[in-house]
Amino acid sequence: MDTKIKQILQEHWANLNGLKIRYLESGKGNARHILFIHGLGSSADRWGNIPESLSVNFHTVSIDLPGFGESDKPISMNYTIKNFRDIVIDFMNLLAINDQTSIVGHSLGGYIASEVTMQNKINVERLVLIDSSGLLKKPTPLLEEYLSVAMNPTNANVTSIFEQMVSDGTKIPLKLVESFIKRINLPNAKYAFKSTLENSANTQIRLDKLKSIDNVPTLIVWGVEDKVIPLQHSELFKKSISNSHIEIIQDAGHAPFTEKPEQVRELIRNFLT
């Protein structure tokens, strides 16, 4: 996180039913809210300056899901999508961001965001799904490799897996690799990662429920070179959510908001405003 973002984004902690949840916040006081939900093995920081730049018009909140980032990682927790969904809804209620709220979810975060919206669609204004999971029938080979790397992380194998997730593998910063290794070596982090992957990649969103969120305008963003969750999944989401449209990001892989941050930021801004 650069100096400018540190000055504007504020770090907070919420106590949620005994769970200590870290989140980043900007633009508090704005009437409309955006909740950012990160992907597997990531954290609130991964969104870079996108939440801060949107805070001119929105109150933005980026959560560290339990099991990830600096939030609690209880080994007693079952890291299912249903549990994540319920925790996020409770978190939204606690922060009073359960009205005029849009949700932006990446990968695992997109799966959770979809489930939150289906459960709570009256209070979700708009939905943004970025290379979302939720329709996989089983883990893809790259997800299985990601799990193996997370269980035994080294600079070399973490760099290698990240290189496969992006369009240009020469641009993986050492800081990203080191921060992943630091987080995955925290107590219970590997258990949370493994449990979350096994639960999320082997379950699917019920398509009949997904179709029920047609009243929530949805933007589907996908990196054309995504090797983690293939591009055709964008069409599966589009087919199920009639009130949606797709934006394909060229020269980008699984996390296009990190490879093409200005382009994705403007897509989100234009869609939400």
Side-chain angles (χ1 to χ4, degrees), residues 13 56 62 77 97 99 122 151 188 199 214 225 262 264:
W13 300 85
V56 175
S62 307
M77 178 175 165
I97 54 170
D99 185 44
I122 294 175
M151 296 303 100
N188 301 335
N199 280 308
D214 285 349
E225 298 179 41
E262 294 84 5
V264 174

Side-chain angles (χ1 to χ4, degrees), residues 1 5-13 22-30 33-34 36 44 51-52 55 58-63 91 95-97:
M1 203 185 299
I5 300 173
K6 279 184 179 177
Q7 291 173 347
I8 298 175
L9 284 179
Q10 296 182 345
E11 182 181 57
H12 297 289
W13 300 85
R22 173 185 178 257
Y23 64 97
L24 302 177
E25 182 178 45
S26 189
K28 190 171 184 178
N30 288 327
H33 317 282
I34 308 174
F36 290 85
E52 178 262 329
S55 68
F58 296 91
H59 170 217
T60 69
V61 176
S62 307
I63 186 174
F91 175 78
L95 266 62
I97 54 170

